[in-house]
Amino acid sequence: MSRVSDTLASSLPVFDGPRMRLDPRHTGFFADPYPAYGAIHDQGGAVFWEDYGHWCFAGYDMVSKLLRDKRFGRQILHVASREELGWPEPAAHVADFDAIEAHSLLELEPPAHTRLRTLVNRAFVSRQVERLRPEIESLTNELIDRFQADGRTELISSYAEIIPVTVIADMLGIPREMGPQLLDWSHRMVRMYMFGRNRQTEDAANDASRAFSDYIRSIIAERRKAPGTDLISHMLTAREGADALIEAEVISTSILLLNAGHEATVHHIGNAVSTILGRGLNGAAIFSGDDKATERAVEELMRIDPPLHMFTRYALADCEPVPGISVKKGESIGLMMAAAGRDPKQFPDPDAFVAGRADGTHLAFGAGIHFCIGAPLARLELQIALPILFRRLPGLKLAEPPRWRDAFHFRGVEGLDLIW
């Protein structure tokens, strides 16, 4: 195999046939993974990523099909034992984090997933979410009012973070002043999905999981005494026949909605603004058309730089994900959703921003049974937050290059300094 320099200086893959070496935490890679994705597409779109130790798929058709393929699942212990898989016993120091994951919609498979999603889904259908439009418009304008006269702002902390966490907190019936604490718990928990996490990360995530669970449990106790119209009250009273959610499921679902809901939209906003300003595009012009034009522009921004880059699944039996590639039961595969969005076989001139692109069908929200339950809400937030930002601040530009998070799987800006 060709060798990388002593410090792994290149952010491009090193290939040996279908095998690939590429450090997911190389600063050049997580700051801009798209040249590497182009190289993977040139190799055919399927590689064995040695740093992860499993096959990864970047081709649009491959990813789209495998997201829907019932031979693969987010969990494996329902069809295989830890002993069979060669897994150690669960680590005691992450027991609180694992307790939340055990009932997470993101980690379950049918029939448990079907039951839980059915009970929660009603709150996130498009017609329900659309009712939030006036509230989101008011919030975005209020936030811009706070910094417009300053002539500069760090957009993630002053705008992008606040919008989704406030909206989700309102939906759940959690006080808005809890926003900073919710963000802290969420940030510590999502670091568990980073490549190469360590014991310090795990301890911090478990502490956050315990505190977060205790807080949601206290809210549940209040809602049992005095139900409201919020989502936690809805989950406590939701029924499908004789079925209902247990308390652990309500806790896990509330935390998932807060974590996944706000993390994704924060980075959708940050990545979209970085794309527009970094390419010298005219944001006000992009969003100057009608609602349909805005919707198409938002979809293209989600295609060109989405937050979620890797979604893993387990093989539920020995099989071939694609012809000629074999995996064994219990092995993981990686679905490179952002790379699929730059597949030249699906999207002509894939690196270009084309606001009215005819085929805007991307995989930023996944596909199949794990298609993002909050997609209608995320779309609405983007369709409001981006146009209002560029309309209110038409002279918007980068004060310095965006600072990207060291988190390949969930790409986003941690610092976006703007001036106008």
Side-chain angles (χ1 to χ4, degrees):
M1 185 191 308
S2 49
R3 301 181 68 85
V4 193
S5 67
D6 292 343
T7 58
L8 224 150
S10 175
S11 59
L12 293 174
V14 176
F15 296 104
D16 181 14
R19 304 182 77 85
M20 176 183 86
R21 285 187 58 203
L22 175 62
D23 181 2
R25 299 191 70 177
H26 185 285
T27 54
F29 175 64
F30 66 71
D32 184 8
Y34 294 103
Y37 294 165
I40 294 170
H41 286 306
D42 290 343
Q43 292 285 316
V47 292
F48 187 91
W49 195 338
E50 292 192 347
D51 303 76
Y52 278 100
H54 58 63
W55 282 96
C56 292
F57 302 92
Y60 181 91
D61 286 344
M62 298 177 191
V63 174
S64 180
K65 290 175 182 176
L66 289 170
L67 283 167
R68 299 170 170 87
D69 194 327
K70 294 182 180 179
R71 298 174 299 170
F72 297 88
R74 287 290 293 173
Q75 61 180 183
I76 185 65
L77 293 178
H78 62 308
V79 296
S81 66
R82 287 181 171 274
E83 184 178 17
E84 179 184 349
L85 297 168
W87 288 7
E89 290 302 308
H93 70 280
V94 290
D96 295 295
F97 178 84
D98 287 346
I100 294 171
E101 293 282 280
H103 297 284
S104 172
L105 263 173
L106 195 59
E107 306 299 329
L108 297 175
E109 291 297 310
H113 176 274
T114 306
R115 166 186 164 274
L116 185 55
R117 183 156 181 143
T118 299
L119 289 166
V120 175
N121 192 54
R122 296 189 188 97
F124 287 91
V125 295
S126 296
R127 63 180 179 276
Q128 290 291 101
V129 166
E130 181 61 30
R131 297 176 183 177
L132 299 174
R133 181 179 290 274
E135 175 187 331
I136 299 171
E137 290 175 343
S138 176
L139 174 62
T140 54
N141 279 300
E142 176 189 328
L143 293 174
I144 294 172
D145 287 344
R146 296 179 188 177
F147 57 71
Q148 184 174 20
D150 298 336
R152 66 182 306 124
T153 193
E154 194 291 293
L155 194 74
I156 304 302
S157 59
S158 68
Y159 191 70
E161 274 190 338
I162 300 174
I163 294 168
V165 74
T166 302
V167 173
I168 291 287
D170 286 351
M171 291 180 72
L172 290 167
I174 293 175
R176 288 188 174 189
E177 56 266 28
M178 281 295 294
Q181 180 62 76
L182 299 176
L183 289 172
D184 175 63
W185 287 332
S186 178
H187 291 333
R188 286 192 275 161
M189 291 180 70
V190 298
R191 290 191 185 105
M192 287 289 278
Y193 306 108
M194 285 177 57
F195 178 82
R197 76 190 196 203
N198 55 31
R199 177 61 186 261
Q200 182 179 5
T201 298
E202 293 173 347
D203 287 341
N206 199 66
D207 289 345
S209 299
R210 182 170 54 253
F212 210 157
S213 296
D214 288 345
Y215 178 73
I216 297 297
R217 193 173 289 110
S218 72
I219 296 293
I220 289 172
E222 293 175 5
R223 297 298 184 274
R224 290 195 192 281
K225 295 176 183 176
T229 58
D230 55 90
L231 186 50
I232 288 179
S233 295
H234 165 78
M235 287 191 284
L236 291 173
T237 57
R239 294 285 187 278
E240 187 68 21
D243 207 359
L245 297 176
I246 62 172
E247 183 171 275
E249 291 171 331
V250 176
I251 292 172
S252 180
T253 303
S254 300
I255 291 174
L256 173 66
L257 294 175
L258 280 160
N259 287 357
H262 102 263
E263 284 281 341
T265 306
V266 167
H267 300 309
H268 270 306
I269 294 173
N271 294 6
V273 174
S274 298
T275 294
I276 292 168
L277 299 182
R279 292 170 179 244
L281 303 174
N282 185 328
I286 288 172
F287 298 112
S288 64
D290 60 17
D291 290 346
K292 289 296 182 183
T294 292
E295 290 172 11
R296 287 195 296 271
V298 166
E299 295 302 306
E300 176 70 348
L301 288 163
M302 288 191 286
R303 177 197 69 82
I304 207 165
D305 197 7
L308 184 57
H309 280 224
M310 175 84 83
F311 190 70
T312 57
R313 303 186 76 195
Y314 292 110
L316 303 181
D318 295 355
C319 63
E320 290 190 349
V322 300
I325 294 176
S326 299
V327 297
K328 296 186 178 300
K329 179 180 179 179
E331 291 182 347
S332 295
I333 61 170
L335 306 181
M336 302 177 70
M337 292 150 67
R342 299 283 188 106
D343 185 347
K345 294 179 181 178
Q346 177 70 18
F347 303 101
D349 198 5
D351 296 328
F353 173 81
V354 182
R357 189 179 287 272
D359 185 358
T361 306
H362 56 75
L363 299 172
F365 292 121
I369 66 168
H370 288 292
F371 181 82
C372 177
I373 195 171
L377 176 59
R379 283 186 160 112
L380 180 65
E381 289 172 330
L382 291 165
Q383 291 164 12
I384 294 171
L386 293 172
I388 288 178
L389 178 70
F390 284 100
R391 185 175 68 244
R392 294 279 308 271
L393 305 173
L396 205 60
K397 56 187 176 181
L398 294 171
E400 58 182 69
R403 299 185 297 280
W404 295 95
R405 301 168 68 237
D406 176 7
F408 152 68
H409 76 287
F410 211 76
R411 170 176 160 83
V413 179
E414 63 182 7
L416 188 56
D417 294 305
L418 307 179
I419 56 175
W420 53 91

